[in-house]
Amino acid sequence: MRRKLPAPLPPRHGLDPARLRLPDEGPWGTLLEHLVERLPRVTPERIEQMLREERIFGPDGPLGVGTAFAPGTFVWFHRDLPEEVPVPFDVTVVHRDEHLLVVDKPHFLATIPRGRHILETALVRLRRDLGLPALSPAHRLDRVTAGLVMFVITPAARGAYQTMFRDRRVHKEYEAIAPYDPELRLPRTVRSRIVKERGVLAAQEVPGEVNAETYVELLDHRDGLGRYRLVPATGRTHQLRVHLSRLGIPILGDGFYPVLTETPLDDFSKPLQLLAKTLEFTDPLTGAPRRFTSGRQLSSWDAPEEWAGSGPGSR
């Protein structure tokens, strides 16, 4: 296997530069001509400006406007960052050792850069604040869900921890606050087929082979609300939210299920009352048992006045 070429420019804000391999052949006389066609979301004027400002690099240094198209070579550059709404909640470190970092993520903070969320993500914050440029996620947690997320510090250990999640060797428990229905018989295991299409915000349950399974247990109830323990056996997108909505008890603060409701990115009131509470597994490197628990609480249950007043959703 060929070794990946090192980037000729350093990370920025904890993010590595984008890397493009130029085609082995093509009609372009200059790099500028190719990039204008290759990057349709970036204006030709912006690409030319980046070349003039020496912000696009080849293996030996910055490239200029007149750089000839060189088939099969690589170029690197940092993409322009979108304007982001600051997320006014902190990430709490739960555990850190040589290989592993476990954090307690707040609501509204994405796990990894994607779309309109780049700097305001747990990965970028942690890389920057902890000085861990090679940090990578072992799994993901929805932006609107709070709780435990695990990252890998050393690249050599990444595969072992990510494979553990892929092979479902991690026991995960969640806590959710949703309406209480005295007629709903619990505990029970919900099974269905969930499909999430690319570009479509909400997932759907469809006929077919089961690919999503969730154990649902009522822990307590009061004032028309229930506190539920959720244990997913699978990890489909939005699985817990879809399954509770299917039972007729949609999670408080859910803007997707049962009805899709658009919420401004700067609206931090009424967050989804879903918490990734526990991660438990056998460490693939040491064989030692591991168990981590979130220290956050869901305010609709633990501080209902705060929830009613549109305060932060987990503490």
Side-chain angles (χ1 to χ4, degrees), residues 104 141 145-149 173-175 274-278 293-294:
D104 218 346
L141 196 62
T145 304
L148 297 178
V149 187
E173 294 187 10
Y174 291 73
E175 186 173 301
L274 179 62
L275 177 66
K277 188 73 174 179
T278 303
T293 303
S294 170

Side-chain angles (χ1 to χ4, degrees), residues 115-128:
R116 292 178 291 178
H117 309 285
I118 305 296
L119 299 184
E120 290 297 318
T121 61
L123 178 62
V124 172
R125 280 193 187 182
L126 293 166
R127 281 182 173 179
R128 180 189 63 222

Side-chain angles (χ1 to χ4, degrees), residues 267-290:
D267 183 354
F268 300 116
S269 64
K270 298 294 188 291
L272 181 71
Q273 294 294 276
L274 179 62
L275 177 66
K277 188 73 174 179
T278 303
L279 288 176
E280 188 172 4
F281 56 93
T282 298
D283 193 293
L285 300 185
T286 67
R290 301 272 203 171

Side-chain angles (χ1 to χ4, degrees), residues 154-168:
T154 49
R158 183 182 306 160
Y161 288 108
Q162 291 179 339
T163 299
M164 185 177 62
F165 280 90
R166 184 198 67 192
D167 294 344
R168 302 175 187 171

